[in-house]
Amino acid sequence: MTTIIKDTIEYIKQIFKDDFSGHDFFHSLRVYQMATNIAKKENADVFIVQLASLLHDVDDRKLSPATYKSKERVISFLNTHNVDKHIIDRVCKIIDEVSFNGTDTVIPSSIEAKCVQDADRLDAMGAIGIARAFAYGGSHNRAIYNPEIKPRTDMNKNEYHTYNSTTINHFYEKLFLLKYMMNTSTAKEIAEYREKYMKSFLDEFMAEWDGKN
Ligand code: ADP
Ligand code: NI
């Protein structure tokens, strides 16, 4: 592992030490590990993928609204570590293309961004994805479930970020759409498996809610 990757891991450990919204240090670390595996299979530039995956949530719109447009925390960290400007530009472009924005979500323009986007989305699926969704919902004062609030699957960027939905609805509004939005065949296969697990969780949840189980 190169020094800059080690330093980046230490940096994000600090940045996310007080996060309880499902975006803790271990989320970024898992995205880094998954993105690295995908990048090797896809013959992508592994170093760029590693930097971008480790840093993808540092200037995120939800976590650091004041810096999300300028990416000033990522840029300043990389500048301090003497990373070339053209690498910084590539990393920032990847970060810009990764996030889920409802019907305004973009297909990334590079194979490196596709690897990071797939890895980030896989971490929103499966058992860990379920745990993260409820952690996020709790930390944003969202109900676990309320049958009177209906899920909406056709939301654009603004609607997606402002609609006050429930965490169970989030499965229909985002998590069950992810399988169809994976870029790489490696991620598609893992997504199939994780989606089945989430579906069986929701079936059980609804059966218990309805008093059947
Ligand atoms: P993105 O950049 O695509 O939003 P993140 O890596 O920031 O992805 O993580 C999103 C995480 O937060 C996912 O695990 C997701 O389930 C959770 N999350 C986001 N919005 C909600 C929501 N409205 N309700 C529950 N969980 C949410
Ligand atoms: Ni993320």
Side-chain angles (χ1 to χ4, degrees), residues 27 56-57 120:
H27 161 63
H56 81 278
D57 272 340
D120 191 30

Side-chain angles (χ1 to χ4, degrees), residues 48-63:
I48 295 281
V49 165
Q50 290 184 327
L51 273 186
S53 52
L54 286 170
L55 294 168
H56 81 278
D57 272 340
V58 167
D59 289 312
D60 182 77
R61 70 145 57 213
K62 303 180 288 308
L63 309 170

Side-chain angles (χ1 to χ4, degrees), residues 23 27 62 99-100 120 124 132-133 136 142 170 174-175:
H23 296 80
H27 161 63
K62 303 180 288 308
S99 228
F100 179 86
D120 191 30
R132 292 184 67 220
Y136 183 95
R142 288 180 173 228
H170 185 65
K174 173 179 175 185
L175 304 181

Side-chain angles (χ1 to χ4, degrees), residues 116-168:
V116 179
Q117 190 184 65
D118 280 2
D120 191 30
R121 288 175 173 175
L122 284 173
D123 208 55
M125 300 183 75
I128 288 180
I130 295 170
R132 292 184 67 220
F134 287 102
Y136 183 95
S139 73
H140 287 76
N141 301 325
R142 288 180 173 228
I144 293 174
Y145 180 49
N146 180 345
E148 287 169 14
I149 304 173
K150 299 295 172 203
R152 295 176 55 191
T153 51
D154 58 342
M155 291 186 282
N156 66 25
K157 183 174 182 171
N158 189 41
E159 291 164 335
Y160 174 74
H161 290 294
T162 51
Y163 183 49
N164 191 17
S165 200
T166 69
T167 300
I168 288 293

